[in-house]
Amino acid sequence: MAKKTQINLEDIPGVGEKTVEKLKNIGYADPMVIAVSSPTELANIADIGEATAAKIISTVREKLDIGYETADKILEKRTTVAKIITGSKNLDNLLGGGIETQAITEAYGQYGSGKSQLGFQLSCSVQMPKDKGGLDGACLFIDTENTFRPERIVQISRALKLEPEKVLRNIFVARAFNSEHQILLVEKAPEMIEEKKVKLIVIDSLTSHFRADFVGRGELAGRQQKLNKHLHQLQRLADAYNIAVYITNQVMSRPDILFGDPTVPIGGHVLAHAATYRLYLRRGKEGTRIARMIDAPNLVEGETVFRITENGLTDV
Ligand code: ADP
Ligand code: MG
C-alpha cells in the first residue's frame, strides 16, 4: 500500500513560517517539486537566500529518498504490478496482458477511433475480481469533453456479467471545467483513492483543456510546464497506490510530413516522456479498429485489430 512520506516544511531547521507561506503561495508546497529544483531557482522564486534554499532542497531530498535504487528492489516492486484486461485478447496481448498499474497508458487517435470506449471498458473491467482480469477496485473518471456515457457502462457491465447498478456506483465521475480544475481533481484524488478503493484513474481527455486554455504561441511554455507537473502527479499516484492510469489524447495533422502517416499526438515531448505506454488507435476495414504500440519500454512494437460492439471491446 501507499508509503506516505510526511514532510513538514516548517520542521526544516532555518525555515520560518514566512518562507513556508511563500513556498505555498508559489505552488511549491509539494515536496517533489522542491526536490527537483536547483538552489538558485528556488532562491529566486521564493525570494530566500541560496543557502536556505539549498538546505530545504537537501532535506526534502533526504526525506523523499531520492536517488539510486538497486535493480532487485525495482524488480520486487515490478512484481506488484497488476493488469486490467481490455475485453479484447488481441489488445491485451499487445499491452502485455492488459493496462498496468504503476504506469500511465495513453491512447491517442482521431475522433471516433475508440479512445473513450476503451476508457468505459476499463472502468467496468477494473471492478472484476483479480482472477477474472480485474483489480476488484473502483474507478475515478475525469471527463473533460462531456462524453462519459453511463448507458455504455450498463451495456458493457451486463456483457461482463456484472451488476450494472453496482458498477455505476463504483465509477466516480468528475466533469473538469478547465485545466486548473482538472489539476485540482487529481490533487484531491488521494482521499478518494483510499476511501473508495480506487484502482484506476481515467482522464478523457488529458489534453483538451490544456489546448483550449493556453492558446497563442507565447503560452506554449507555460502550458507544457503545467502539463508536465500534472503528469508527474499522475505517475506518483500510480506508484504510491499501485493503480493504473489511462489517459486519452487528441491528434493533429502535421502538414510537413509528406510520407507516411501525418497524424501525431498533441502534448509534445512532455507527454511522450510521461506516458509509459502509448497506443495509437485508428479505424480499420469493416468497422474494425487498429491499435499500434508506440515506444514501449518492455514490449515489442506491433499492431493488432479489435472491434467495438454494443458489448464493449472484443476481438474481430
Ligand atoms: P473517441 O476516440 O473519439 O473517444 P469513441 O471511443 O467514443 O471515440 O468511439 C466512438 C465509436 O465507438 C463510434 O464511432 C462507434 O463505432 C463505437 N460505438 C460507440 N457506441 C457503440 C455501441 N453502443 N455499439 C457499437 N459501437 C459503438
Ligand atoms: Mg472520446
Side-chain angles (χ1 to χ4, degrees):
M1 210 45 229
K3 204 181 98 210
K4 274 198 220 150
T5 322
Q6 287 293 349
I7 299 177
N8 281 326
L9 298 174
E10 291 89 342
D11 297 344
I12 302 171
V15 178
E17 245 173 71
K18 271 209 177 122
T19 309
V20 175
E21 220 20 66
K22 269 188 207 160
L23 290 170
K24 284 187 177 156
N25 284 340
I26 54 168
Y28 272 57
D30 180 350
M32 194 57 92
V33 179
I34 295 175
V36 298
S37 311
S38 77
T40 322
E41 183 193 347
L42 189 64
N44 279 333
I45 289 177
D47 194 21
I48 53 180
E50 210 167 303
T52 313
K55 174 102 198 151
I56 295 173
I57 291 168
S58 69
T59 309
V60 168
R61 281 183 185 170
E62 234 168 75
K63 293 250 167 94
L64 281 180
D65 199 14
I66 292 172
Y68 291 101
E69 244 184 318
T70 49
D72 63 323
K73 284 265 166 56
I74 297 171
L75 184 64
E76 191 186 305
K77 197 168 165 237
R78 291 276 314 158
T79 60
T80 63
V81 166
K83 286 165 190 183
I84 308 168
I85 59 168
T86 65
S88 153
K89 289 246 159 49
N90 288 343
L91 192 52
D92 289 344
N93 289 338
L94 186 74
L95 287 160
I99 80 147
E100 275 185 12
T101 60
Q102 297 173 34
I104 297 176
T105 303
E106 171 198 356
Y108 69 88
Q110 303 280 4
Y111 174 77
S113 58
K115 307 180 294 292
S116 294
Q117 301 301 318
L118 178 53
F120 300 157
Q121 181 79 37
L122 293 167
S123 317
C124 296
S125 51
V126 68
Q127 302 189 35
M128 293 199 294
K130 286 179 184 158
D131 59 354
K132 294 256 169 63
L135 295 177
D136 199 13
C139 171
L140 288 191
F141 198 113
I142 300 178
D143 180 17
T144 73
E145 296 171 340
N146 207 11
T147 52
F148 178 78
R149 291 292 176 272
E151 302 89 316
R152 291 293 287 142
I153 301 297
V154 171
Q155 291 172 333
I156 295 167
S157 48
R158 274 203 191 114
L160 293 174
K161 303 205 165 39
L162 298 169
E163 261 179 76
E165 293 77 23
K166 228 170 131 187
V167 173
L168 289 166
R169 278 200 301 273
N170 270 321
I171 303 175
F172 300 90
V173 185
R175 177 86 204 282
F177 298 111
N178 54 38
S179 57
E180 283 300 330
H181 187 206
Q182 183 177 328
I183 289 167
L184 193 69
L185 286 167
V186 169
E187 279 170 2
K188 291 210 173 274
E191 277 167 49
M192 289 288 284
I193 294 171
E194 285 180 27
E195 212 179 287
K196 311 288 185 191
K197 270 181 67 189
V198 169
K199 279 288 161 191
L200 169 72
I201 298 178
V202 176
I203 306 188
D204 185 21
S205 83
L206 180 88
T207 42
S208 54
H209 282 319
F210 284 89
R211 205 179 191 184
D213 294 351
F214 300 85
V215 276
R217 271 202 87 65
E219 291 193 273
L220 192 61
R223 177 186 96 179
Q224 290 306 87
Q225 233 169 6
K226 281 246 157 99
L227 193 59
N228 191 35
K229 202 175 156 210
H230 186 46
L231 283 159
H232 276 98
Q233 222 144 25
L234 285 166
Q235 181 64 55
R236 276 204 298 282
L237 292 178
D239 287 332
Y241 296 99
N242 195 22
I243 62 176
V245 174
Y246 170 71
I247 60 177
T248 68
N249 187 18
Q250 299 159 329
V251 292
M252 58 181 181
S253 198
R254 279 195 35 196
D256 54 321
I257 297 181
L258 297 178
F259 302 100
D261 193 343
T263 312
V264 291
I266 68 165
H269 290 297
V270 163
L271 191 43
H273 287 298
T276 324
Y277 300 107
R278 308 196 94 181
L279 279 178
Y280 173 34
L281 302 183
R282 64 185 203 274
R283 286 174 185 271
K285 278 185 206 137
E286 290 156 16
T288 58
R289 297 295 190 283
I290 301 166
R292 164 173 276 274
M293 177 63 75
I294 313 277
D295 298 334
N298 57 325
L299 300 172
V300 279
E301 283 199 19
E303 275 191 357
T304 197
V305 186
F306 67 94
R307 205 178 271 285
I308 304 167
T309 70
E310 185 177 321
N311 291 337
L313 269 58
T314 59
D315 286 329
V316 176

